[in-house]
Amino acid sequence: MAGRNEETLGDLTLLGNQHTKYLDHYSPDVLEPIDNLHSGRDYFVKFNCPEFTSLCPKTGQPDFATIYISYIPDKKIVESKSLKLYLFSFRNHGDFHEDCVNTIMDDLIKLLDPRYIEVWGKFTPRGGLSIDPYCNYGKPGTKYEQMAEHRLMNHDMYPEKVDNR
Amino acid sequence: MAGRNEETLGDLTLLGNQHTKYLDHYSPDVLEPIDNLHSGRDYFVKFNCPEFTSLCPKTGQPDFATIYISYIPDKKIVESKSLKLYLFSFRNHGDFHEDCVNTIMDDLIKLLDPRYIEVWGKFTPRGGLSIDPYCNYGKPGTKYEQMAEHRLMNHDMYPEKVDNR
Amino acid sequence: MAGRNEETLGDLTLLGNQHTKYLDHYSPDVLEPIDNLHSGRDYFVKFNCPEFTSLCPKTGQPDFATIYISYIPDKKIVESKSLKLYLFSFRNHGDFHEDCVNTIMDDLIKLLDPRYIEVWGKFTPRGGLSIDPYCNYGKPGTKYEQMAEHRLMNHDMYPEKVDNR
Amino acid sequence: MAGRNEETLGDLTLLGNQHTKYLDHYSPDVLEPIDNLHSGRDYFVKFNCPEFTSLCPKTGQPDFATIYISYIPDKKIVESKSLKLYLFSFRNHGDFHEDCVNTIMDDLIKLLDPRYIEVWGKFTPRGGLSIDPYCNYGKPGTKYEQMAEHRLMNHDMYPEKVDNR
Amino acid sequence: MAGRNEETLGDLTLLGNQHTKYLDHYSPDVLEPIDNLHSGRDYFVKFNCPEFTSLCPKTGQPDFATIYISYIPDKKIVESKSLKLYLFSFRNHGDFHEDCVNTIMDDLIKLLDPRYIEVWGKFTPRGGLSIDPYCNYGKPGTKYEQMAEHRLMNHDMYPEKVDNR
Amino acid sequence: MAGRNEETLGDLTLLGNQHTKYLDHYSPDVLEPIDNLHSGRDYFVKFNCPEFTSLCPKTGQPDFATIYISYIPDKKIVESKSLKLYLFSFRNHGDFHEDCVNTIMDDLIKLLDPRYIEVWGKFTPRGGLSIDPYCNYGKPGTKYEQMAEHRLMNHDMYPEKVDNR
Amino acid sequence: MAGRNEETLGDLTLLGNQHTKYLDHYSPDVLEPIDNLHSGRDYFVKFNCPEFTSLCPKTGQPDFATIYISYIPDKKIVESKSLKLYLFSFRNHGDFHEDCVNTIMDDLIKLLDPRYIEVWGKFTPRGGLSIDPYCNYGKPGTKYEQMAEHRLMNHDMYPEKVDNR
Amino acid sequence: MAGRNEETLGDLTLLGNQHTKYLDHYSPDVLEPIDNLHSGRDYFVKFNCPEFTSLCPKTGQPDFATIYISYIPDKKIVESKSLKLYLFSFRNHGDFHEDCVNTIMDDLIKLLDPRYIEVWGKFTPRGGLSIDPYCNYGKPGTKYEQMAEHRLMNHDMYPEKVDNR
Amino acid sequence: MAGRNEETLGDLTLLGNQHTKYLDHYSPDVLEPIDNLHSGRDYFVKFNCPEFTSLCPKTGQPDFATIYISYIPDKKIVESKSLKLYLFSFRNHGDFHEDCVNTIMDDLIKLLDPRYIEVWGKFTPRGGLSIDPYCNYGKPGTKYEQMAEHRLMNHDMYPEKVDNR
Amino acid sequence: MAGRNEETLGDLTLLGNQHTKYLDHYSPDVLEPIDNLHSGRDYFVKFNCPEFTSLCPKTGQPDFATIYISYIPDKKIVESKSLKLYLFSFRNHGDFHEDCVNTIMDDLIKLLDPRYIEVWGKFTPRGGLSIDPYCNYGKPGTKYEQMAEHRLMNHDMYPEKVDNR
Ligand SMILES: [Ca+2]
Ligand SMILES: [Ca+2]
Ligand SMILES: [Ca+2]
Ligand SMILES: [Ca+2]
Ligand SMILES: [Ca+2]
Ligand SMILES: [Ca+2]
Ligand SMILES: [Ca+2]
Ligand SMILES: [Ca+2]
Ligand SMILES: [Ca+2]
Ligand SMILES: [Ca+2]
Ligand SMILES: [Ca+2]
Ligand SMILES: [Ca+2]
Ligand SMILES: [Ca+2]
Ligand SMILES: [Ca+2]
Ligand SMILES: [Ca+2]
Ligand SMILES: [Ca+2]
């Protein structure tokens, strides 16, 4: 099988472009999809994003997290540089941890209409506690809806050891 | 989606308040709920709490634990600073390990009426043994009750390695 | 909820007692139960016991293990100091690894009549091999019997890495 | 049971051959099968391949990954040196991460007609994000097709910790 | 319960015997069974064997592996020193990785007629790749046959990180 | 010895103040010193700062680092909340990694006139490489100047393992 | 050599005493020395104390640390249970991290007049930063004074990785 | 202190340039220096390079290594993107491990005329062995020459654990 | 060089002897030396002994430790099986941690008259504290005496992380 | 600098040769040197050898170790495939751990006449103890002789944690 060519690379505006602009406010429009070349098959794509940072909506102090995004694409996959810029756009955005992961998932559902998706944020501690919200989604009326319920029911039964160091 | 505003931040009395009072006795009333903005969706919130300490009810010696709390909210989520103060209030409270985790879960059920919740305590050793109690709960008469049973049945089948060092 | 008081602490003879006697032979009678204050709920109690030692029945050489005991109590929980003394009583007892874990479980079933219990021993190597026996039990004729079968069927599918160092 | 002899070793052209040629372009034809001596039994063979490297189709910069391949053979198993040379042939090949793992799986399906197979790539980060695609396959119309669906539904519920260091 | 006595120790010829002979060729006959004292109960026995070494059938170069053996005994358990000598007997035996684990399992089935057994080999890399074969078995016509199928279907969904260092 | 009282706590404007302002540009003036109560003794204070982020001066993309600051105080120690705000002020500041650590050290020398100080930044990778600059300083004309030279000469002889994952 | 007898055990009031009182304020008087039986030799004794907790002198919030104490005894060693009670007495004591470690060292110098001593505290983070103070001491006018200077000069050149999780 | 401006950024041709060309042969000319803004101070810059790959000069098979480069700059520091491209240029270059690290160091000495530099390569195993060459250099006739000798004499006294997995 | 023969193996009474007696009291006489075949060279032999256990002299409760013994032999090395039996003989011996390590070193000095020796015990916690005593020795009037002083002065400057789990 | 060519590759008989013979007895003659192209510089070459196995000279049981070899070459470096075959030749050789590492070092000194060399063996446990011998050497009458003494004096002051698992 040949690799991606001009056609399957599509109209990417960001990858390999040196005039990248880093946005100073929450910007879901920066996200760009590309064609999924394997839509005849269910498979997972996971993004590990250890460089996420946002602000506390009440105190303005910075929050830090690793975000894990995992999905089964349908017709589209997300271009990774656009995802990077999108996550960057939370840098000066104020929101609770629980809200951030729900917002990220909602934006990716809107962009990709995926079969299945989940987003897990693991934040650094504030006041001795850390918060790790997790949400997921399966396309309503399909088997992926049951998949989402199944994965939620079995979520995180082995919490990682956390000692704040 | 915009971040939390004044309305959705609600009447928080503790977050960002510099007159925080640390209580010297077990105080479930310090817990404060805030609105869940995503109640149309099942999702998990986990708290990692490595700074829990209480007293032995018989000898008075201090006990130390990491407490992991994980829940699916219904209408309310718990504000994290109030949870921190609540856990602090066990500092001079005497109780067995098994009782502490059950009490924490009971108090959060009363506050939040969550769809599902679980609490796992991992204590430091006394006399060469350490104790790790785990309890969970699903709202009676809902699918979350089955979820609780399912998660209990599959609980901790890979115990972490413990060597007391 | 108030912590344990005199009544719920019961007639403990060992905890906080300075005249502890360490027994020089296998002594199941040293085990002491206390009341389970949460018998309306299924929950797990786990003991991590990295200081277990017994003797080889054939050669007399000492064996070392970490014992993990996990159970769902019914009316009684085991008092932890009595468990410590019980495990100590294997110090001069000769038995195979496979027999030790079965014996420990049998003694705790007799003491507590638990809903569910499991015992896992992880021994240090002899002759380049190490042995990790695991047994479990659910009260016959209850759902916990199925639970035991389920957990055995899914036991230890990710063996920890062992390199004898 | 005796070890492999001349007959069961077959017509291997690569193993133990000093005239190995490392190919400079994507070359699925280099793959060689050998007989599965245990086809009466379902069992797994896993390859850990931490030395995979390809090129970005847009920028030409090198990508690095660990590829995990796991399968249940039917009549054939893949000879490991031929697999090594096949993976080497991606060295100057430009393709997206998502496409590489799908291509590897397609080529092995064509070679081996396995009962079940899965391929997981874990790539190093670009722009602060790393991507881990995973695909699997079960022979259509057999129980292995259900197996593939089951494993996809339960895939990677405990993402490894990634901190880009 | 008393420990093993002369009767339950049986006719062991190897344990505690100083005239141990290390065999220079593959020798399944060295394996010795002893009575299972707990055959009324299903339980697991696992052996961790990090000191396994055999030879490549084609090139003669040495291979190294950690072998994990896990089984539910029926009437017999395997005496550990005899298992050690059996595994030693592969030291000068030439066979592929896939064949070694199948052979080990076949020999233990013949010796013990166990209810369930599985063997997992994790080999060091050759040519930058490492191979980890896994096989299992449940007594035909019993629930353990389903157990084997269940465990195979869920095998190794979280491959350990391998970086060849 | 009694703890800090009003006098030794001094005129701290930030610690316990709820009106904290997070600054949007590089702001060394936010740093605040407090009295060192143990200036008769040489001792070390180390800050672990895993939440440092700045911008690339050329491309504007965000950089992430853990900064380790270690010093021997003379008359003053740095108040930790003011240090936190100072480090926050790099959030929208563009500079090379090598320049950031030198700037942080220069600002703390100016504030504290310490006997000895060192700053080590460990950044996440860009383009597959990561950069870890380290600088140190001893008060000129004192034994601490030799100390700085000694520590530089012996710096980082055991680089941590980095695999970009 | 015989073990400790009544004479060399001395007048210990705490070890094995069931009437242990846990003190509610900073109490250096609880410390008890016992005779060093090996004063003809320089040797080290280290205490690992992961259960240290104190309060912030300004905000009252609890702080947590692991304290490492290491010393070369002269005529006396510290009895470990008295050290435990002494460290417990910081539980309701308000002081900065830098002050706590200096105070602990001062109290042990006063009790033991050791040849050499050092105290290292590693605290959990507040506001995203953690602080690890370290102080040491050698008896003035002896070679241990140079030892203290030498160890300070070479202190902590490989900071442990800290990521606040 | 202000961040880098146009002047101190200099004439960089690669950083932020989208027309990056990845070279297909060993190319030391691609390296670019930039001004060291802190040449009045000795400090270290370290590069962690886990994505190095070259070819075996005899067999043509690919080799993989993590390269650690650490130096004290004099007038110049190396621009990191040019270093990345330089290391990439070994991708199709055949040389022994021992030669690669010496060549890299020679090229950087020629480019930067640094006060001190060291290069450590940690390669993946071939034939069960892995090789980790280390070389260093101090400017002749300066104290850095002694520094190089000192660091060589104390090199790697705690070899990392390597088990080829 | 040929391996050990009958002569250089000497009169070992324990190695390979099946009539091993495990002693029930402290027994330094069980130690056996063998000839050092390399006495023309200084070299180190280290024993890792993670299965050490003794009793508390006051309460009788068991203590557990890993003992590390490291020495430069002169004319004799210690036979390892005799060392194992010697360490076993502490099993029912009551002594403080500080005394155990000094006793072990004294007995080995008496047996071997080594050029240099050191003993480090790392014990499991009691009451939340663990104790790690370390002693060493160099033959008086030789350079090894300075070596002992040098190693004590630089002992354990990077305490291992201990969290009692 | 060009890579190795025919001349600098020399008369290697083993590398890339498919007719490799694995020897069945201790064979120092299999070692082959090649020219050191950087003899104008002191640098280190380290071999990590986790696949070493020999036999116990008394009982015949197999021993396993990781061997670390590190040296500063003079005129010659050792060809790695010949080193692999040399280490293989201990496979059926009986010798004590202490003797093996001294023999390996003696053979490499004879082959290479290196400026400096050291050999460290880390063996798996027998009878609950493991042994790690270490020897080193510097060319007599040169500064490397002092280097050897210096490195021995500072050897292994931080023993790795060993728990026999
Ligand atoms: Ca941690
Ligand atoms: Ca522990
Ligand atoms: Ca541990
Ligand atoms: Ca630990
Ligand atoms: Ca081990
Ligand atoms: Ca291990
Ligand atoms: Ca990492
Ligand atoms: Ca590894
Ligand atoms: Ca890493
Ligand atoms: Ca990384
Ligand atoms: Ca942390
Ligand atoms: Ca951490
Ligand atoms: Ca490894
Ligand atoms: Ca490896
Ligand atoms: Ca812990
Ligand atoms: Ca271990």
Side-chain angles (χ1 to χ4, degrees), chain A residues 51-149:
Chain A
E51 300 180 351
F52 182 84
T53 178
S54 59
L55 300 178
C56 174
K58 188 84 179 183
T59 64
Q61 85 170 320
D63 288 320
F64 291 82
T66 300
I67 305 287
Y68 300 94
I69 301 169
S70 213
Y71 70 106
I72 301 176
D74 193 3
K75 297 303 176 203
K76 295 291 178 185
I77 59 175
V78 62
E79 193 279 319
S80 65
K81 190 169 177 187
S82 79
L83 179 61
K84 166 188 156 182
L85 291 175
Y86 165 69
L87 293 174
F88 176 84
S89 82
F90 283 83
R91 193 173 175 87
N92 296 308
H93 178 69
D95 229 342
F96 281 130
H97 302 347
E98 291 90 341
D99 298 329
C100 285
V101 300
N102 276 288
T103 296
I104 292 169
M105 192 171 78
D106 286 339
D107 288 335
L108 288 168
I109 291 169
K110 193 168 159 196
L111 179 80
L112 300 173
D113 189 22
R115 295 174 187 165
Y116 173 81
I117 187 169
E118 67 190 16
V119 179
W120 196 346
K122 302 193 175 188
F123 287 79
T124 54
R126 294 291 170 257
L129 301 184
S130 58
I131 309 181
D132 297 350
Y134 166 89
C135 58
N136 74 357
Y137 159 93
K139 204 176 281 198
T142 70
K143 68 178 175 183
Y144 306 103
E145 192 175 22
Q146 277 78 52
M147 182 179 176
E149 191 163 353

Side-chain angles (χ1 to χ4, degrees), chain C residues 161 163 165, chain H residues 161 163 165:
Chain C
K161 183 179 176 179
D163 63 3
R165 290 276 294 190
Chain H
K161 182 178 177 181
D163 63 4
R165 287 279 293 189

Side-chain angles (χ1 to χ4, degrees), chain C residues 125 162-165, chain J residues 125 162-165:
Chain C
V162 174
D163 63 3
N164 284 3
R165 290 276 294 190
Chain J
V162 175
D163 63 4
N164 284 2
R165 288 278 294 189

Side-chain angles (χ1 to χ4, degrees), chain J residues 98-117:
Chain J
E98 291 89 341
D99 298 329
C100 285
V101 300
N102 277 288
T103 296
I104 292 169
M105 191 171 79
D106 286 339
D107 288 335
L108 288 169
I109 291 169
K110 191 167 159 196
L111 178 79
L112 301 172
D113 190 21
R115 297 175 187 165
Y116 174 80
I117 187 169

Side-chain angles (χ1 to χ4, degrees), chain I residues 27-28 30-31 82-90 103-104 107:
Chain I
S27 307
V30 77
L31 288 164
S82 79
L83 179 61
K84 164 187 156 182
L85 292 174
Y86 166 69
L87 292 174
F88 175 84
S89 81
F90 283 82
T103 297
I104 292 169
D107 288 335

